[in-house]
Amino acid sequence: MPSIGIIGVGEIGRAIVEGLCEGESTGEGTGEGTGDAPGGAPVIHLSPRSAATAARLAERYATVRVCAGNQEVADASDVVIIAVRRPDLRQALDGLRVADDKTVINVMAGVSLGELRQTLATKAALVRAIPLPAVRERRSVTVTHPAHTVADALFDRLGGALPVADEAAFNVLSALTGTLTTHYAYLATLASWAAEHGIAPADADSYVRGLFQGVGRSLGEGTRSLQQLAADHETPGGSNERIRTTWFDAANSTALTRALDDLLARLT
Ligand SMILES: NC(=O)C1=CN([C@@H]2O[C@H](COP(=O)(O)OP(=O)(O)OC[C@H]3O[C@@H](n4cnc5c(N)ncnc54)[C@H](OP(=O)(O)O)[C@@H]3O)[C@@H](O)[C@H]2O)C=CC1
């Protein structure tokens, strides 16, 4: 396993560290492998900003250490993951030297390979990736571009890699990931509506969670198409058909696809 560097130890940087290290052996006989991600915990070098988070990770995992600066992360690691927010890109990367034999994984939404190549001025292999917080539990498939043996092997350990042929396809799948918090907000609206109609908020919350965990399980089976799943849950003239046709009507569906088109245009 190559050594990993992470510049930007926020939500997604932390999730990657946890996914790679939790329950893994350290090679020093101090841990037990889970069997889910064979190979033991990799050596991971963290950037020093977000000091409290980085320190907690280094305390928790024997193979994780905090570096003195971003340059030290790049120098010490075979694979450098860039996970800062776009507005922080220049401050984090300007002047950073990345040797040509390294692999750089760019997880920043909307930052193309061309832009990153120009910023870093390196001949190192550059790979884009869309890891999601569920990599923490090694349950998320990560879209990558271009296919790269080392990067794809890393994300295989975290739930799977889905390499796509070009950045256009990458951006389409990236736009889909922009719908996740809307989905949570939709569930929160359902729970609030039930609470406003007299259901105890905790009961409304847990009932909504249970309903949609069932949806998640059906999706996970992967045996029926999305259209078939919808049809199987719908009685003609029943409640589901009513909400689908009165709320998620053609206008609503068009508004959603327009919002996705607009997002895609921003990502391209
Ligand atoms: N969260 C998600 O689900 C996903 C996020 N992404 C992408 O990952 C990137 C990070 O997102 P996310 O983790 O949510 O954001 P966070 O804000 O949680 O994490 C970004 C981290 O970068 C740190 N940082 C800022 N400037 C520097 C610097 N100069 N050197 C080193 N570290 C720095 C920030 O520190 P401080 O807080 O002190 O500013 C923060 O800890 C974004 O570009 C996003 O598009 C991609 C896929 C999914």
Side-chain angles (χ1 to χ4, degrees):
M1 185 68 183
S3 60
I4 313 285
I6 301 185
I7 295 179
V9 189
E11 169 66 20
I12 206 67
R14 192 174 72 235
I16 291 170
V17 173
E18 291 173 351
L20 290 172
C21 295
E22 187 64 35
E24 285 302 309
S25 73
T26 61
E28 296 164 1
T30 53
E32 289 264 311
T34 60
D36 288 335
V43 171
I44 301 182
H45 307 281
L46 301 180
S47 55
R49 185 151 150 178
S50 321
T53 306
R56 265 197 304 276
L57 291 167
E59 225 168 78
R60 204 157 129 202
Y61 304 117
T63 58
V64 175
R65 62 179 279 267
V66 185
C67 293
N70 293 349
Q71 188 60 55
E72 191 182 324
V73 175
D75 292 342
S77 313
D78 302 313
V79 176
V80 182
I81 299 175
I82 316 277
V84 298
R85 296 175 299 259
R86 191 190 170 91
D88 296 323
L89 170 74
R90 299 225 69 101
Q91 200 207 343
L93 303 187
D94 271 355
L96 193 77
R97 294 175 308 283
V98 179
D100 295 347
D101 61 345
K102 313 262 176 183
T103 300
V104 178
I105 300 180
N106 164 23
V107 308
M108 296 173 290
V111 178
S112 69
L113 291 175
E115 182 180 353
L116 189 62
R117 176 82 63 200
Q118 205 171 19
T119 306
L120 290 176
T122 177
K123 293 198 174 85
L126 303 187
V127 179
R128 288 186 77 179
I130 318 173
L132 296 172
V135 294
R136 176 175 282 124
E137 295 103 36
R138 301 170 193 146
R139 282 171 193 258
S140 183
V141 172
T142 298
V143 177
T144 61
H145 172 73
H148 185 277
T149 317
V150 173
D152 291 345
L154 189 144
F155 291 114
D156 274 342
R157 290 172 58 120
L158 298 173
L162 176 60
V164 294
D166 51 42
E167 270 189 306
F170 183 93
N171 288 333
V172 169
L173 297 179
S174 180
L176 289 185
T177 68
T179 62
L180 291 177
T181 60
T182 301
H183 188 70
Y184 285 115
Y186 165 77
L187 301 185
T189 302
L190 299 182
S192 297
W193 176 85
E196 278 160 19
H197 285 75
I199 306 298
D203 290 346
D205 185 277
S206 75
Y207 191 66
V208 167
R209 284 169 192 261
L211 278 178
F212 287 88
Q213 277 163 10
V215 170
R217 277 193 294 277
S218 302
L219 291 172
E221 286 165 15
T223 50
R224 287 174 283 172
S225 69
L226 295 176
Q227 288 78 4
Q228 189 61 49
L229 281 169
D232 289 353
H233 282 79
E234 196 167 280
T235 308
S239 312
N240 274 273
E241 185 189 86
R242 185 180 170 86
I243 294 295
R244 182 176 60 77
T245 54
T246 56
W247 177 67
F248 199 64
D249 55 8
N252 201 344
S253 174
T254 302
L256 176 57
T257 50
R258 283 226 181 97
L260 286 165
D261 285 344
D262 289 349
L263 174 57
L264 183 58
R266 282 172 59 100
L267 293 173
T268 304

